[in-house]
Amino acid sequence: MLIQMKDICKKYVLGGEEINALKDVSLEVQKGEMVAIIGPSGSGKSTLMNILGCLDVPDSGTYILDNLLMDTARENELAVIRNQKIGFIFQQFNLLNKLTALQNVELPLIYRGIPAKERLQRSMGALKKVGVANRKDHLPNELSGGQQQRVAIARALAGNPPIILADEPTGALDTKTSQEVMTLLKELNEQQGHTIILITHDNQVAELASRILRIRDGKITEVGVRND
């Protein structure tokens, strides 16, 4: 079991009003799964993503990631865990405009202190895996949206993290490019064994996962498993 959450609760105070963003959320993700967490705006899925990605901690409950207890970890410990255990893919790509595709992929490895030769090998391997190695010297503004997202996926893969956490990975893409990116993510899961968690509001994106968790009003309301 790669992820275990038990009775996770998270509250926020906005404008003097207390909001229960997550209410006793429990879930498990096994190594090699592709899981979609789907819900409308305000459902709690962004809060859940932040806790899954160690960007935030719960008010109560237990979160175990790759056999490590997260809910009592300090910020510096969470930063290390984020860098080593989770590859992030964001809706807006989050590439640095002044760095080439290769340099963007290398950046998290620099933070990990990976030697230059190994860094280059890993980064080029990741770019080849997602089909944009021939664009390694291009800046983000010289790439299409789909190519930028592929570079972002390569950046997530380069560190070989146990989990790929994709937050609305097709939200900034047209329909055709969205299908290509989702096909790539599904191949990475099915053919290469990457564990992928998708955060989305799009039913078509969620349907590509092997398991669907629906979240509403801060609670997991339904678990769907595809039989194909």
Side-chain angles (χ1 to χ4, degrees), residues 7 58 80 83 90 103 109 131 196 200 218:
D7 298 330
V80 171
N83 186 265
F90 299 100
Q103 290 169 335
L109 303 180
I196 298 175
T200 185

Side-chain angles (χ1 to χ4, degrees), residues 30-71:
Q30 294 184 357
K31 185 177 181 180
E33 276 197 286
M34 186 171 180
V35 178
I37 298 173
I38 186 169
S41 177
S43 62
K45 68 180 186 297
S46 293
T47 302
L48 180 56
M49 184 208 72
N50 287 339
I51 293 176
L52 281 167
C54 300
L55 297 166
D56 201 356
V57 294
D59 294 326
S60 61
T62 301
Y63 177 24
I64 298 173
L65 168 61
D66 203 18
N67 295 318
L68 298 173
L69 186 62
M70 296 293 99
D71 33 286

Side-chain angles (χ1 to χ4, degrees), residues 100-114:
T100 65
L102 177 59
Q103 290 169 335
N104 268 285
V105 175
E106 282 187 299
L107 196 58
L109 303 180
I110 292 174
Y111 294 148
R112 285 174 64 170
I114 303 295

Side-chain angles (χ1 to χ4, degrees), residues 95-111 119-120 123-124 127 135-140 151 155 158:
L95 301 178
L96 297 182
N97 292 327
K98 294 183 178 180
L99 298 183
T100 65
L102 177 59
Q103 290 169 335
N104 268 285
V105 175
E106 282 187 299
L107 196 58
L109 303 180
I110 292 174
Y111 294 148
R119 212 164 57 223
L120 178 61
S123 299
M124 283 304 301
L127 287 169
R135 311 294 283 178
K136 67 182 178 66
D137 296 322
H138 288 69
L139 298 172
V151 172
R155 180 182 57 193

